[in-house]
Every structure is written in structure tokens, then in C-alpha cells.
């Protein structure tokens, strides 16, 4: 199996994670790192003396097989376009772009060029989320009623994006992937308490044609650090808690039963309190799993799991949520024509 030479574009806090993952993968070679900050490049060069470090994108993309983009969100679409114009496969960090127009343009270019584009919706590669998806699609949970997520903590303030665009891609991508449908109505409300015009707390609600409701709380102003998703079904309920060192996924055999025939209202509903169990999931780093999949997709061994079209769908939800946010929580309809 040939080793693929990769360039990592962006050596910031998350870019360094990609650099580490590529350097540690025996099927990849960390060939180049590109960043506009010379201090970051110096730090990378000290850790990996044999690789090319450069502030010039053209130089970084010479003699490589693929690229990873882990720069600020505002540059994702432009840099992805530059990589694709060179005919190179690319992994683009979330969010795919900051507008539907830009996201669709990158997706169209990828289709025209005919090379793999993977969107970095990292949690879709989390073993616990993959197990949750298999439980849901196997019918173990019954009919899905609703789900809600919490992604909150203190101190992650960013000057260039609000909590919706920073945290939202995670929970929106999980929701769309689990339900395999797009929302028909979006409502978002939030407030800017610390930085004017940059919401540090956002509440997002998505309604689906199937009747399912999904709600996400996102905040940089919370006393607790929470990374939790709860899925409630007619047969069972599941909680994914990424802050737990073990037993990140818990399945509850609980619910409300309605017998087909009953004599009185008191007999019509009954609470079911069954067992709770934690399925075994592999202890694998999602970033490592994501990179391995990207390499397989570049080689043509696997179809892309999180495609440019998936990136467009998530951006569409976030853009609609932004419109609702700016309108004080006014519901935004997403007709089938628009999705």
C-alpha cells in the first residue's frame, strides 16, 4: 500500500491535532505544513524537522497527494477551492463554509473535478455515535420522538464566530445523520453578553416532517462543561455523554406503554422501568478514525462518508438558524425546494 503525502493547511490549536494525527499514521506522510503565522511554523519545524513548513499555499501543495484544511472558518471555502483547482482531494474542517452559496460552489467544483472531499464533522466518526446510529437504524429505540443536545462550557470565547457556528456543526451534523432527513423549520434564539454582535449562548430547535423535534443548547457562558446528546424513542432512550471517561453511551429500557385495549384511563398508560446498560464501544480517537477514512477515500477504497453535500446541508441549517437568530427567533421554513 502506497503512503500518501499530505499537506496540512493551518497550524493553530486544531490544526496541530491534524498534524499529530497525520504524522502518527503509517499510511500517510506529513509532507508540508502551511500557516501565515511564522511562530507556529517554527514550533512545527522544531517538532518535525524533516517536513516542509511554509507561508505559501502553492509551495505547500507541490508534490502532495491530498490536503487537510484546518484554518479559521472564514477561509475554508476559499482554501478548499484552491486545493480542488489543483485536482487534489481535501479534508475541510467544519464548518464547510460560512454561507450556502460558498458551500454549494465548493461542492460543485468537487463534483466537476471528480476528487474526494471529506467534511470534518468529527463526531460522526466517534465510535459511540456510530453505535448509536446502528441501534437507531436497527429499530432498537422504536419510533424516535425527540432528541436534544447540550454543548456548553466556560471560556471558549472567539472573536470571529458565535456559539452557533462554532458548536452547531457538531450537533446539527449528528442530528441529520441519525435521522437521515432535513428539517422543515428552524428556530434559533440567542444573546451576546460578552462580545457585541457575537452570540455566546444560542438555543436551536429543528422540526422535521416526520414529527421529530431536535433541540440544541450551545453556550460559552456555563458553569459546567457538557457534551451530551439524549435520544428518546418509543421503546428505549439513549444518552451519549462524551465527558465520561468510560461508558460514554448508555441505553435505558424505559418508556410509556399504551396497551391496544383498556377498560379505563388508568389502565391506558403505564410507565416501563427496565434495565440500563452501556454498550461496549471501541476506545478510538475520532480524529484518527476520520483520517484513516479520508486516506481510504483518497485511494478509492471507500466512498466518502461525510461528503460535500453533507457539508452543504449543515451550512444550510446554520444559515437558516442565523436568519432566525437575527429576526429574534422568528421561525424559518425550509421547503423541500430549498433543501
Amino acid at each position: 500500500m502506497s503512503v500518501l503525502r499530505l499537506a496540512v493547511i493551518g497550524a493553530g490549536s486544531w490544526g496541530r491535532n491534524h498534524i499529530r494525527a497525520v504524522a502518527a499514521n503509517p499510511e500517510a506522510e506529513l509532507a508540508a505544513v502551511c500557516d501565515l503565522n511564522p511562530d507556529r511554523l517554527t514550533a512545527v519545524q522544531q517538532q518535525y524537522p524533516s517536513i516542509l513548513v511554509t507561508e505559501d499555499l502553492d509551495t505547500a501543495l507541490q508534490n502532495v497527494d491530498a490536503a487537510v484544511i484546518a484554518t479559521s472558518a472564514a477561509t475554508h471555502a476559499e482554501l478548499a477551492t484552491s486545493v480542488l483547482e489543483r485536482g487534489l482531494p481535501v479534508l475541510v474542517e467544519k464548518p464547510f463554509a460560512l454561507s450556502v452559496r460558498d458551500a454549494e460552489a465548493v461542492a460543485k467544483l468537487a463534483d466537476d473535478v471528480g476528487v474526494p472531499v471529506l467534511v470534518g464533522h468529527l463526531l460522526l466518526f466517534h465510535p459511540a455515535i456510530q453505535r448509536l446510529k446502528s441501534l437507531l437504524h436497527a429499530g432498537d429505540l422504536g419510533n424516535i420522538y425527540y432528541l436534544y443536545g447540550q454543548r456548553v462550557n466556560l471560556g471558549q470565547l472567539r472573536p470571529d464566530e458565535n456559539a452557533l457556528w462554532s458548536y452547531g456543526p457538531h450537533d446539527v451534523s449528528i442530528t441529520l445523520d441519525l435521522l437521515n432527513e432535513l428539517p422543515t423549520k428552524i428556530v434559533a434564539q440567542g444573546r451576546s453578553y460578552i462580545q457585541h454582535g457575537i452570540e455566546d449562548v444560542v438555543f436551536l430547535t429543528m422540526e422535521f416532517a416526520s414529527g421529530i423535534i431536535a433541540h440544541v443548547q450551545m453556550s460559552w457562558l456555563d458553569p459546567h462543561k457538557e457534551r451530551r446528546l439524549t435520544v428518546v424513542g418509543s421503546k428505549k432512550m439513549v444518552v451519549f455523554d462524551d465527558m465520561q471517561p468510560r461508558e460514554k453511551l448508555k441505553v435505558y429500557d424505559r418508556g410509556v406503554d399504551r396497551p391496544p385495549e383498556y377498560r379505563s384511563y388508568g389502565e391506558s398508560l403505564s410507565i416501563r422501568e427496565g434495565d440500563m446498560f452501556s454498550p461496549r464501544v471501541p476506545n478510538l480517537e475520532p480524529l484518527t478514525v476520520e483520517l484513516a477514512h479520508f486516506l481510504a477515500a483518497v485511494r478509492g477504497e471507500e466512498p466518502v462518508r461525510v461528503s460535500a453535500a453533507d457539508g452543504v446541508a449543515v451550512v444550510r441549517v446554520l444559515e437558516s438558524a442565523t436568519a432566525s437568530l437575527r429576526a429574534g427567533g422568528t421561525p424559518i421554513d425550509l421547503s423541500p425546494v430549498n433543501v
Side-chain angles (χ1 to χ4, degrees), residues 3-7 22-23 25-32 50-51 295:
V3 173
L4 297 176
R5 292 170 54 83
L6 267 62
V22 173
N25 192 302
E27 298 178 6
E29 177 187 344
L30 180 60
S50 63
I51 70 166
L295 296 175

Side-chain angles (χ1 to χ4, degrees), residues 74 77-78 81 96-107 312 315 319:
E78 179 182 357
T81 298
F96 188 44
L98 292 183
S99 71
V100 172
R101 179 179 179 179
D102 287 346
E104 288 181 333
V106 175
V312 172
V315 171
E319 186 175 84

Side-chain angles (χ1 to χ4, degrees), residues 56-67:
D56 182 64
L57 182 64
D58 288 331
T59 302
L61 295 178
Q62 292 177 2
N63 303 315
V64 298
D65 301 302

Side-chain angles (χ1 to χ4, degrees), residues 77-306:
E78 179 182 357
L79 290 174
T81 298
S82 295
V83 174
L84 288 170
E85 286 176 342
R86 291 164 173 81
L88 294 173
V90 61
L91 190 166
V92 185
E93 259 305 330
K94 63 83 181 171
F96 188 44
L98 292 183
S99 71
V100 172
R101 179 179 179 179
D102 287 346
E104 288 181 333
V106 175
K108 182 180 184 304
L109 177 59
D111 188 58
D112 292 341
V113 175
V115 298
V117 173
L118 177 67
V119 182
H121 294 156
L122 183 66
L123 289 182
L124 298 186
F125 296 92
H126 197 301
I129 292 296
Q130 292 178 335
R131 183 62 184 273
L132 170 57
K133 184 177 179 180
S134 67
L135 291 171
L136 190 154
H137 288 183
D140 291 10
L141 309 186
N143 296 322
I144 302 303
Y145 291 152
Y146 67 94
L147 54 87
Y148 65 93
Q150 293 174 294
R151 193 165 298 276
V152 302
N153 66 281
L154 181 65
Q156 291 294 320
L157 298 173
R158 298 187 180 184
D160 56 345
E161 62 183 8
N162 61 10
L164 173 67
W165 284 89
S166 180
Y167 288 160
H170 289 303
D171 294 282
V172 171
S173 63
I174 292 172
T175 300
L176 301 190
D177 190 61
L178 290 177
L179 302 184
N180 196 31
E181 64 174 317
L182 294 168
T184 57
K185 182 177 293 186
I186 304 288
V187 176
Q189 292 181 300
R191 291 293 185 272
S192 305
Y193 294 111
I194 305 301
Q195 302 177 97
H196 178 70
I198 301 177
E199 290 82 4
D200 32 57
V201 56
V202 176
F203 299 88
L204 169 66
T205 300
M206 297 172 279
E207 297 182 18
F208 296 83
S210 59
I212 298 172
I213 292 179
H215 179 77
V216 185
Q217 175 189 0
M218 296 158 281
S219 175
W220 291 323
L221 292 176
D222 199 275
H224 305 287
K225 184 174 182 178
E226 301 285 355
R227 301 289 185 268
R228 183 182 294 127
L229 172 69
T230 301
V231 182
V232 176
S234 60
K235 293 182 180 179
K236 296 178 181 179
M237 307 173 184
V238 180
V239 176
F240 164 61
D241 189 346
D242 204 18
M243 297 307 300
Q244 295 296 322
R246 301 177 61 186
E247 298 185 345
K248 292 180 180 288
L249 198 65
K250 293 182 179 179
V251 181
Y252 297 82
D253 186 10
R254 298 176 183 175
V256 178
D257 293 334
R258 182 191 298 272
E261 296 181 4
Y262 52 90
R263 292 170 296 178
S264 66
Y265 178 77
E267 297 176 348
S268 65
L269 301 176
S270 61
I271 303 296
R272 183 181 71 259
E273 291 280 0
D275 296 331
M276 183 280 291
F277 73 95
S278 181
R280 182 182 179 277
V281 295
N283 185 24
L284 299 173
E285 183 189 20
L287 185 61
T288 301
V289 179
E290 179 186 63
L291 175 61
H293 169 69
F294 178 56
L295 296 175
V298 172
R299 291 192 179 95
E301 299 168 352
E302 296 178 10
V304 175
R305 277 202 56 221
V306 188

